[in-house]
Amino acid sequence: MAVDESMVHDIVQQVMANMQIASPAAGMHGVFQDMNDAIDASVKAQKIVRGLSMDQREKIVSSIRKRVHEKAEILANMGVNETGMGNVGDKILKHHLTADKTPGTEDIKTIAWSGDRGLTLVEMGPFGVIGAITPATNPSETVICNSIGMIAGGNTVVFNPHPNAKKTTIYTINLINEASMEAGGPDNVAVTVEIPTMETSSIMMKHPSIPLLVATGGPGVVTAVLSSGKRAIGAGAGNPPVLVDETADVRKAARDIVNGCTFDNNLPCIAEKEIVAVDKIADELMHYMITENGCYLADKAVQDKLVQTVITPKGALNRKCVGRSARELLRMAGVEAGPDIRCIVFEGPKEHPLIATELMMPILGMVRVADFEEGVQTSVWLEHGNRHSAHIHSKNVDNITRYAREIDTAILVKNGPSYAALGYGGEGYCTFTIASRTGEGLTSAQTFTKRRRCTMSDSLCIR
Ligand code: NAD
């Protein structure tokens, strides 16, 4: 086999990523053996960050952005190698997105009232040290966007990452501290422990120096932080349906849906997880997905094999299948598919386990409904009250409005792939912490600040 330049480059990146994984904590900034030591270091660093000007904070943020750009490929490789989830190409893109579009200090805005009785300001101040719990699905991406937003807000952050992603997280945290020091900021603006466990998580949640907790993950961790007795931001699970009505551009809808669903092998919590299609266009939609967008139509026998493969007998997700490509999933189920296959599709009832469950895999079940109204009710049922994300393809403004009101989610993408909501192919900023359960929506620097009113009585109004 001929080895070309790009293959050599890929091999070198893989080896480098594996080497970084071999001894992640050796000489790494912000990494401690003991959670209490990590928190103490974070408290000290926050006192320094608190004293920095907004301009100095912004310099740290810019330096983080630069570092993430430089290391995007290594971070992407590490994430895929360590967790076995997602794909390198899309992960590189996700890192560029977090570097470019996570808001910095410009997000911190002051509100002012002036009048006969003086001047009142509401300024956004830091909470102090924030405790953040991060998922395996977007490990470094979440650490980066949390760190940028939290530091821009004047905080420092203690991470308790998913144990399956600890090496990638440690590497990312080191990078953030190096970037801070390079910009004249302190070390330990972001910290973690070498071995994150439920115990280290519990120490962090109970620690008196941490006033705010931010959890990005499934229902268990969100419930845990909300039960902590502290202020908590909960970015929880979703199961986003995409509704397609008879007014949609069906060919474009098929392309957008498959692109959104297959992005990083369906790992983003906002990605299309199932389709609800009105009867009039359902066959046409399926036709375009199969003929133009690399979809494999699974018959009943393959669907059954997939159920047995991706869901355990107890009804839990087989984690080995999360974030795998469509071809890998089919292979695991004993089916060989061609290299062009990107997504697995089938038609089924809304109760089908591959439709009702949040799989985080490129498997798209389609539920056929008689009309738009039934489509709305079916989508609301499938979203399970997560209030997370939902999408629609429609040219009917009344339909879009009705759907948006009924489903009541933090994110609703109209006529585009789901990732448009993260600022990729859509307007707006990026985050990988979408506070669905607690209602802050797409988090950013201002989410990680507290409002402080400052009133001057009878003076400083100069109108
Ligand atoms: P997970 O719930 O298994 O783990 C998330 C984090 O929580 C990990 O650090 C884990 O160690 C920790 N954790 C889990 N249970 C805990 C408990 N009881 N107490 C303390 N810590 C606990 O999730 P995952 O597989 O890493 O990520 C996928 C899930 O996260 C999906 O449900 C996805 O929708 C959700 N998610 C949501 C967002 C969002 O912004 N809303 C973003 C990414 C992922």
Side-chain angles (χ1 to χ4, degrees):
M1 185 177 66
V3 179
D4 64 19
E5 203 178 312
S6 75
M7 284 173 77
V8 172
H9 181 256
D10 285 352
I11 293 164
V12 170
Q13 288 292 334
Q14 287 286 347
V15 172
M16 281 170 67
N18 286 333
M19 278 170 62
Q20 308 280 14
I21 281 177
S23 57
M28 294 279 175
H29 293 278
V31 184
F32 295 80
Q33 280 181 354
D34 185 280
M35 179 52 94
N36 284 305
D37 291 344
I39 296 170
D40 287 349
S42 191
V43 169
K44 283 189 191 124
Q46 204 273 328
K47 287 200 176 107
I48 300 171
V49 172
R50 186 76 187 89
L52 297 179
S53 66
M54 294 298 274
D55 186 48
Q56 284 167 316
R57 281 190 216 168
E58 188 55 33
K59 283 196 175 108
I60 297 174
V61 168
S62 301
S63 181
I64 296 172
R65 297 188 199 284
K66 184 167 156 272
R67 279 286 175 129
V68 173
H69 265 293
E70 287 165 4
K71 303 286 182 190
E73 205 166 331
I74 290 179
L75 287 164
N77 271 294
M78 285 184 86
V80 173
N81 286 347
E82 187 181 13
T83 64
M85 300 180 195
N87 68 70
V88 172
D90 289 340
K91 278 206 190 293
I92 292 174
L93 222 153
K94 285 164 78 181
H95 284 89
H96 289 308
L97 199 58
T98 52
D100 293 338
K101 289 207 159 182
T102 305
T105 53
E106 76 285 2
D107 199 46
I108 314 285
K109 296 195 176 79
T110 297
I111 302 167
W113 293 271
S114 75
D116 294 344
R117 300 306 310 266
L119 173 70
T120 291
L121 305 175
V122 175
E123 296 208 293
M124 316 301 279
F127 275 94
V129 178
I130 299 177
I133 301 173
T134 49
T137 48
N138 315 305
S140 41
E141 301 92 316
T142 310
V143 166
I144 294 161
C145 66
N146 280 187
S147 297
I148 290 178
M150 290 170 186
I151 295 165
N155 309 281
T156 54
V157 48
V158 181
F159 286 103
N160 202 76
H162 197 293
N164 294 354
K166 62 175 184 285
K167 292 165 183 172
T168 308
T169 304
I170 283 171
Y171 182 81
T172 313
I173 285 173
N174 177 63
L175 194 129
I176 286 165
N177 286 310
E178 281 181 355
S180 170
M181 289 186 285
E182 207 172 274
D187 196 358
N188 299 320
V189 287
V191 298
T192 190
V193 282
E194 268 184 40
I195 304 172
T197 59
M198 286 302 217
E199 201 194 328
T200 56
S201 178
S202 167
I203 293 170
M204 186 181 87
M205 284 196 228
K206 290 184 187 140
H207 200 286
S209 297
I210 296 187
L212 172 66
L213 296 168
V214 179
T216 310
V221 66
V222 173
T223 301
V225 295
L226 291 179
S227 317
S228 67
K230 293 185 176 181
R231 180 176 160 84
I233 295 172
N239 188 39
V242 51
L243 175 57
V244 187
D245 78 8
E246 63 275 24
T247 68
D249 178 341
V250 179
R251 191 171 189 176
K252 179 179 180 298
R255 188 170 68 238
D256 287 346
I257 291 169
V258 176
N259 283 345
C261 169
T262 55
F263 187 58
D264 205 17
N265 296 347
N266 200 245
L267 284 179
C269 50
I270 62 157
E272 294 83 349
K273 299 281 189 284
E274 63 277 333
I275 300 170
V276 178
V278 299
D279 183 45
K280 255 189 197 155
I281 51 83
D283 291 333
E284 192 186 349
L285 184 68
M286 190 58 99
H287 165 79
Y288 284 127
M289 288 201 295
I290 295 165
T291 57
E292 295 187 357
N293 293 283
C295 287
Y296 173 94
L297 180 62
D299 61 19
K300 175 79 173 67
V302 174
Q303 289 170 40
D304 291 347
K305 280 188 206 164
L306 281 168
V307 172
Q308 284 162 18
T309 307
V310 309
I311 296 175
T312 68
K314 286 190 176 163
L317 273 191
N318 176 359
R319 286 198 73 99
K320 288 196 177 118
C321 297
V322 173
R324 299 281 177 175
S325 70
R327 286 185 76 207
E328 284 174 296
L329 292 169
L330 285 167
R331 198 169 299 139
M332 286 173 175
V335 179
E336 272 310 314
D340 297 337
I341 291 304
R342 302 166 60 206
C343 189
I344 302 163
V345 291
F346 66 96
E347 184 175 334
K350 68 179 191 306
E351 297 81 6
H352 194 294
L354 299 180
I355 293 178
T357 316
E358 185 203 27
L359 295 178
M360 294 175 284
M361 303 167 203
I363 298 178
L364 261 182
M366 183 181 83
V367 183
R368 188 184 294 260
V369 290
D371 54 25
F372 176 76
E373 203 44 49
E374 191 189 335
V376 173
Q377 300 317 321
T378 305
S379 301
V380 169
W381 186 88
L382 283 164
E383 214 274 322
H384 304 312
N386 291 319
R387 305 282 192 268
H388 191 299
S389 297
H391 315 298
I392 185 168
H393 290 265
S394 171
K395 295 270 173 69
N396 182 326
V397 171
D398 293 340
N399 280 3
I400 295 173
T401 309
R402 167 140 176 73
Y403 182 62
R405 288 211 172 123
E406 279 295 308
I407 203 142
D408 192 22
T409 45
I411 285 178
L412 189 121
V413 175
K414 301 122 185 149
N415 300 328
S418 50
Y419 47 67
L422 300 182
Y424 177 47
E427 290 300 325
Y429 63 90
C430 174
T431 178
F432 284 91
T433 294
I434 295 135
S436 43
R437 285 258 304 264
T438 48
E440 292 83 356
L442 286 91
T443 57
S444 62
Q446 61 171 301
T447 320
F448 308 124
T449 55
K450 55 186 184 191
R451 288 162 166 260
R452 303 179 63 217
R453 182 180 279 216
C454 181
T455 298
M456 170 63 88
S457 179
D458 291 330
S459 300
L460 283 182
C461 171
I462 55 169
R463 288 188 293 179

